[in-house]
Amino acid sequence: NAGVMQNPRHLVRRRGQEARLRCSPMKGHSHVYWYRQLPEEGLKFMVYLQKENIIDESGMPKERFSAEFPKEGPSILRIQQVVRGDSAAYFCASSAAGSPLETQYFGPGTRLLVL
Amino acid sequence: SQQGEEDPQALSIQEGENATMNCSYKTSINNLQWYRQNSGRGLVHLILIRSNEREKHSGRLRVTLDTSKKSSSLLITASRAADTASYFCATDAGQGAQKLVFGQGTRLTINP
């Protein structure tokens, strides 16, 4: 039973380019969360999605960032016109249900470096 | 300070000793979870403890929760070099929110 999968594991972009990060949840999970981790810090919540719906995007920057979780395929976190401050590790997590009592299982992360 | 704040920030002990890490939080919670992160890797879920539980065990791990003090502790007994990692506590944000709120983590080093 494969865990949460993320790709790419490492991504290098120049300022102004677009970054697309993909996340496939664990089998049977329909709830996906994205978090960002800056060096030497804890994870910060960005967005929570169910299939075809954004449930909570309170942690998403207002501009340049978007997320989707289509009916078919992985969840995508998209960062347009990247800047150096976007360099971070981006983690995806999934859970079987949306209850606060559910464990969230994390993927290995995508490390984004903006040059 | 943030919800889910760990203490100490860094801890270095000898192999075989016990390691204790603490976590404090501010708002009421439904559950508290502990995760481990090896350098440059993803997070591994260790234990989830619910707000109506006071103590939970898993192998060499023991987690306590004191909701009156809004604090939790993670005890690793008989530490091993492989336990070297950062440990994070995470709480739900309360009020039915599903997002997790993480602390800054405790960096644990086990010296052989």
Side-chain angles (χ1 to χ4, degrees):
Chain A
N1 184 16
V4 178
M5 299 176 69
Q6 290 187 249
N7 67 80
R9 295 290 302 276
H10 299 273
L11 183 61
V12 179
R13 285 288 178 266
R14 296 194 179 280
R15 281 178 296 170
Q17 292 184 320
E18 178 180 287
R20 279 189 179 233
L21 288 63
R22 288 176 289 278
C23 168
S24 296
M26 283 179 70
K27 186 176 181 181
H29 286 190
S30 58
H31 299 256
V32 166
Y33 314 78
W34 286 93
Y35 295 83
R36 177 165 61 179
Q37 184 180 34
L38 296 172
E40 307 299 324
E41 292 190 10
L43 279 69
K44 297 285 196 296
F45 169 79
M46 299 181 74
V47 62
Y48 161 42
L49 311 102
Q50 294 180 34
K51 286 284 187 182
E52 298 185 280
N53 285 305
I54 296 175
I55 307 302
D56 181 354
E57 56 182 348
S58 58
M60 286 279 271
K62 293 285 187 285
E63 298 177 347
R64 302 189 297 108
F65 285 72
S66 62
E68 63 176 11
F69 190 14
K71 188 176 180 181
E72 301 290 338
S75 175
I76 306 286
L77 179 67
R78 182 182 178 206
I79 311 172
Q80 295 177 290
Q81 298 174 334
V82 295
V83 301
R84 288 214 174 113
D86 296 332
S87 294
Y90 292 83
F91 291 94
C92 167
S94 72
S95 65
S99 164
L101 297 175
E102 286 285 326
T103 296
Q104 293 184 20
Y105 295 91
F106 282 79
T110 293
R111 278 148 188 84
L112 172 66
L113 175 62
V114 179
L115 301 177
Chain B
S1 57
Q2 299 181 44
Q3 178 95 330
E5 192 166 296
E6 288 91 345
D7 165 56
Q9 291 190 347
L11 179 62
S12 181
I13 62 174
Q14 294 299 120
E15 195 167 18
E17 293 181 337
N18 296 340
T20 299
M21 288 158 274
N22 303 297
C23 167
S24 60
Y25 57 92
K26 290 184 172 294
T27 65
S28 60
I29 60 172
N30 293 290
N31 68 62
L32 184 145
Q33 307 186 53
W34 284 91
Y35 288 86
R36 184 186 73 227
Q37 184 179 36
N38 291 84
S39 180
R41 308 289 290 274
L43 274 75
V44 174
H45 183 260
L46 298 176
I47 288 184
L48 180 152
I49 186 165
R50 302 188 176 189
S51 60
N52 61 353
E53 298 176 310
R54 291 297 167 259
E55 189 170 311
K56 210 161 182 179
H57 297 254
S58 176
R60 293 184 296 112
L61 306 180
R62 172 178 167 247
V63 168
T64 63
L65 180 64
D66 186 336
T67 52
S68 66
K69 295 181 180 178
K70 291 187 168 58
S71 67
S72 173
S73 68
L74 170 66
L75 169 67
I76 304 174
T77 60
S79 62
R80 305 168 182 169
D83 294 329
T84 294
S86 290
Y87 291 82
F88 295 92
C89 72
T91 58
D92 66 279
Q95 301 177 334
Q98 283 78 24
K99 62 186 177 185
L100 293 178
V101 181
F102 285 82
Q104 300 279 72
T106 293
R107 289 184 300 281
L108 176 65
T109 302
I110 308 299
N111 302 303

